[in-house]
Amino acid sequence: MMEEANLLSVIGNTPLVRLGKLFDESQGIRVYGKLELLNPGGSAKDRPALHMIRKAWDEGKIGPHSVVVESSSGNMAISLAAICRYLNMRFICVLDTRTTSQHIRLLRAYGAEVDLVEQPDAATGEFLPARIQRVQELLQHIPGSYWPNQYANPNNYRSHYDTTMAEIAAQLDRIDYVIGGASTCGTLKGCRDYVQDFGMPTQIVAVDAEGSAIFGSDSSSVRRFPGLGAGIVPPFAREQPADRVIHVSDWEMVAGCRQLLNEEALMAGPSSGGVISAAKRLTSEMKPGAVCVVIVHDRGERYLDTVYNDEWVFEQFGKRVGAKAEAVL
């Protein structure tokens, strides 16, 4: 299955860059960004997508012309679409109406079949349970179809244990904090397991959306953006994947994205913006000399109609983001 110098072989080994313009380093605090947006599929989801598909392939569960079905808010779908296209497999992605039009266009360009869930689950008012129910229906009607199940597949978090955190640890002698967004919690659990197994003093900080069910947010906020937070508690979240949780608002996600772009010329998605805003809060508590890594989860071009659209932002929040980084928060 695996050969050198192909799409699959270049997933991972993303750069770790100093964010010295965005974060005040006058106290000796150093903040680095792990640029997962530079994966070939444009997000951190390339790693678990590859691990889950590789394991299923090696175990004989799938092969050429198999049908893969997965629920996604967008980025996992793109990662699986690219991998399935490369391996000559059919891919059906179950999305909901919050998925951006750019994500859907990308998926169709890869040849993925889009199955759109338009109504949330009646009991919870959330889309994720409705998407999973639709996946189950498709599995029953398509003989031999396979569900990677990113929400409970251990190869999701193992991908971040084997690659993401291992890469960070190899690049930095000291790591006091790793800050990442929460969705399936695969990234967080993989990093935390690595830290525990190797006896590292690193704190894993989860960033969740206000209104998300993952870590019991008290907010009833409507979540505008896919990719951060969830409508259910995913199995990995039950295993204490983080030492600390910081909840961020949709506005903080926008503000963080704009700061990252204005100061570091990095255009990232709203989950990354939330991580940046959370890191801004946390740095005020850090001791001099602390080293922090933030996970920059995905590319921002997929959110040109929302996060990077000044008119949309004003319609949603009633205020405008400033041209200067310090003006957006």
Side-chain angles (χ1 to χ4, degrees):
M1 173 182 175
M2 300 297 296
E3 298 176 359
E4 293 183 358
N6 60 38
L7 171 76
L8 308 184
S9 67
V10 296
I11 291 173
N13 293 308
T14 54
L16 189 69
V17 300
R18 188 100 166 239
L19 302 179
K21 294 183 66 180
L22 180 56
F23 290 89
D24 181 7
E25 298 186 344
S26 61
Q27 293 182 326
I29 294 170
R30 289 179 289 152
V31 180
Y32 295 85
K34 183 63 168 165
L35 302 188
E36 292 299 282
L37 51 73
L38 293 182
N39 276 303
S43 81
K45 296 295 187 179
D46 279 8
R47 297 177 188 263
L50 177 59
H51 267 58
M52 292 187 297
I53 292 298
R54 174 192 284 159
K55 186 67 172 177
W57 186 286
D58 290 345
E59 292 176 349
K61 296 177 180 177
I62 55 175
H65 311 298
S66 289
V67 181
V68 175
V69 183
E70 182 60 283
S71 156
S72 171
S73 60
N75 284 328
M76 175 60 80
I78 290 173
S79 298
L80 286 171
I83 292 169
C84 288
R85 167 53 66 95
Y86 182 79
L87 296 172
N88 297 314
M89 294 190 293
R90 179 184 170 195
F91 176 55
I92 304 173
C93 47
V94 178
L95 310 172
D96 64 59
T97 54
R98 292 186 306 164
T99 305
T100 72
S101 59
Q102 288 94 331
H103 280 88
I104 292 174
R105 287 197 293 268
L106 282 167
L107 287 164
R108 287 178 171 151
Y110 277 116
E113 299 170 42
V114 174
D115 193 302
L116 193 65
V117 173
E118 298 185 355
Q119 296 296 325
D121 174 62
T124 64
E126 294 284 349
F127 276 104
L128 180 52
R131 294 202 320 253
I132 293 176
Q133 176 59 38
R134 179 57 181 159
V135 168
Q136 297 303 316
E137 293 171 0
L138 290 169
L139 293 174
Q140 291 177 5
H141 287 91
I142 302 173
S145 53
Y146 174 73
W147 180 28
N149 189 7
Q150 62 166 317
Y151 311 102
N153 189 326
N155 293 296
N156 179 336
Y157 69 80
R158 285 173 185 162
S159 72
H160 297 291
Y161 182 106
D162 293 338
T163 67
T164 309
M165 193 62 212
E167 290 167 21
I168 294 170
Q171 290 173 288
L172 295 173
D173 294 331
R174 172 180 175 178
I175 310 158
D176 295 292
Y177 302 91
V178 172
I179 308 176
S183 55
T184 66
C185 292
T187 303
L188 297 168
K189 177 170 168 51
C191 290
R192 181 161 172 75
D193 285 359
Y194 186 99
V195 164
Q196 290 181 327
D197 287 351
F198 287 88
M200 298 171 63
T202 309
Q203 289 191 45
I204 305 299
V205 180
V207 181
D208 197 10
E210 290 182 354
S212 166
I214 298 177
F215 295 106
S217 171
D218 293 330
S219 173
S220 58
S221 302
V222 175
R223 291 184 288 115
R224 296 171 177 84
F225 302 117
L228 191 68
I232 63 172
V233 179
F236 303 144
R238 303 185 188 116
E239 301 177 36
Q240 297 183 329
D243 300 289
R244 180 172 179 176
V245 178
I246 298 177
H247 285 95
V248 295
S249 67
D250 286 357
W251 171 252
E252 287 177 295
M253 294 182 210
V254 172
C257 284
R258 295 301 188 95
Q259 286 187 314
L260 187 61
L261 179 60
N262 291 341
E263 296 298 327
E264 303 287 352
L266 290 169
M267 181 179 282
S271 57
S272 301
V275 169
I276 293 297
S277 289
K280 283 281 187 179
R281 282 195 230 164
L282 195 58
T283 51
S284 64
E285 305 174 16
M286 292 181 186
K287 296 179 180 179
V291 176
C292 175
V293 174
V294 296
I295 308 295
V296 184
H297 289 276
D298 73 334
R299 294 176 187 165
E301 293 90 339
R302 297 164 186 181
Y303 308 93
L304 290 174
D305 292 338
T306 55
V307 173
Y308 297 100
N309 183 317
D310 290 345
E311 289 73 22
W312 184 90
V313 170
F314 185 76
E315 288 174 1
Q316 294 292 316
F317 302 100
K319 50 187 174 180
R320 299 188 185 279
V321 286
K324 300 284 187 181
E326 61 267 23
V328 294
L329 283 173

